[in-house]
Amino acid sequence: MRVEAVIFDLDNTLINRKLAFRNYTRSFIEQFINVSGEEQIENIMEYIRIADLDGYRDRKDLFEYLRVNCELKKSNTNLDELLGHWFSEFFKCTILMDGTMDLLNNISAHNIKLGLITNGSVFTQNAKIDQVGIRRFFDTIIISDEVKVKKPDAAIFMIALDLLQTKAEHSWYIGDHPLNDVKGARDAGLNAVWFRGFIEWDQNIKVSKYIIDKLCELEEIIFQ
């Protein structure tokens, strides 16, 4: 199969959002929440992880929930302070997924166009991309808040294909979310690869033909 473009999701695909959020949560607790030892820190970290809904919960809703339900060091801490901490500190915790740089370098060496499609805010997603220095690899980067359409809507995939000037049947999309990434890309006509290990497969969605557990496994699929 001719490969014209490889397009990636960002969180829990090229960057390890799960690990980054854990690191951020620890600093958030140290800054704002009363704790009495490592065991309590771990318990609160798990509490926040569950409340975060893998990043799909609105930030204002999440931090208002934490402000009301956690024992804060300062009872008068307001929502704006908590959100300010998020926007100033979370992107600094960004960590590349194992194998990201090698994979992007190897695909680039084949003169294949590279794209990125991510749901999220323009500031946060751009800050994470620049924090780990991967912007230079991509011919186009699509952020949902910027184009006013989000995955799994086929329109966001078509925007990327138009900008890359590639055809869906000769393009691959890789992501961790069964609905937003795999089904969304598949419905838009792309070849979709599921990055397993972060979100459970939705049994209402047709099983993915292509599955990887590590980024280093991707080249074997797309260059077969």
Side-chain angles (χ1 to χ4, degrees):
M1 178 190 296
R2 186 166 85 254
V3 181
E4 295 180 351
V6 180
I7 308 171
F8 292 91
D9 173 42
L10 181 63
D11 293 296
N12 289 331
T13 300
L14 292 179
I15 62 174
N16 193 326
R17 199 256 180 203
K18 182 178 180 179
L19 183 55
F21 188 75
R22 178 177 172 81
N23 292 341
Y24 169 77
T25 300
R26 179 174 286 275
S27 71
F28 174 81
I29 292 169
E30 292 173 353
Q31 179 79 15
F32 293 105
I33 300 177
N34 280 323
V35 290
S36 58
E38 184 62 30
E39 183 176 353
Q40 188 181 16
I41 290 175
E42 287 292 335
N43 289 339
I44 296 174
M45 288 176 69
E46 178 64 9
Y47 179 78
I48 295 175
R49 183 194 69 79
I50 293 170
D52 177 58
L53 300 177
D54 292 314
Y56 289 95
R57 187 169 187 171
D58 178 79
R59 294 300 91 183
K60 288 184 179 180
D61 182 47
L62 172 63
F63 284 104
E64 178 61 17
Y65 176 82
L66 297 178
R67 189 185 70 81
V68 171
N69 291 282
C70 293
E71 185 181 343
L72 300 180
K73 291 181 177 180
K74 297 180 180 179
S75 60
N76 62 346
T77 299
N78 60 42
L79 178 60
D80 286 343
E81 290 178 79
L82 301 184
L83 286 171
H85 186 266
W86 168 264
F87 285 113
S88 67
E89 298 301 322
F90 177 60
F91 76 89
K92 298 175 185 176
C93 299
T94 307
I95 299 172
L96 284 172
M97 196 70 71
D98 289 345
T100 293
M101 284 299 190
D102 286 343
L103 178 63
L104 295 178
N105 274 309
N106 291 346
I107 295 175
S108 296
H110 285 83
N111 294 317
I112 292 170
K113 294 180 179 179
L114 283 168
L116 190 153
I117 303 174
T118 177
N119 287 350
S121 76
V122 174
F123 171 81
T124 299
Q125 300 306 81
N126 273 322
K128 289 188 285 189
I129 290 165
D130 291 330
Q131 179 70 18
V132 291
I134 57 175
R135 183 178 298 276
R136 59 192 172 90
F137 288 103
F138 297 102
D139 297 285
T140 190
I141 294 174
I142 308 297
I143 301 174
S144 64
D145 278 5
E146 189 168 36
V147 297
K148 307 307 178 187
V149 61
K150 62 172 58 177
K151 300 178 292 182
D153 193 320
I156 197 168
F157 297 95
M158 301 312 296
I159 290 171
L161 292 174
D162 287 344
L163 290 171
L164 291 169
Q165 297 184 317
T166 58
K167 295 181 179 180
E169 62 266 31
H170 299 307
S171 301
W172 290 82
Y173 187 82
I174 300 90
D176 69 296
H177 199 288
L179 173 61
N180 292 349
D181 295 319
V182 179
K183 187 176 187 300
R186 217 160 48 190
D187 288 350
L190 289 83
N191 302 284
V193 180
W194 180 38
F195 195 157
R196 181 167 54 189
F198 295 93
I199 298 178
E200 290 295 321
W201 189 260
D202 185 336
Q203 298 305 311
N204 295 314
I205 300 174
K206 181 182 176 182
V207 175
S208 180
K209 180 179 179 181
Y210 303 106
I211 301 173
I212 60 172
D213 296 298
K214 299 177 181 179
L215 282 179
C216 62
E217 299 168 357
L218 181 63
E219 289 180 81
E220 191 173 326
I221 292 175
I222 64 176
F223 296 132
Q224 62 184 344

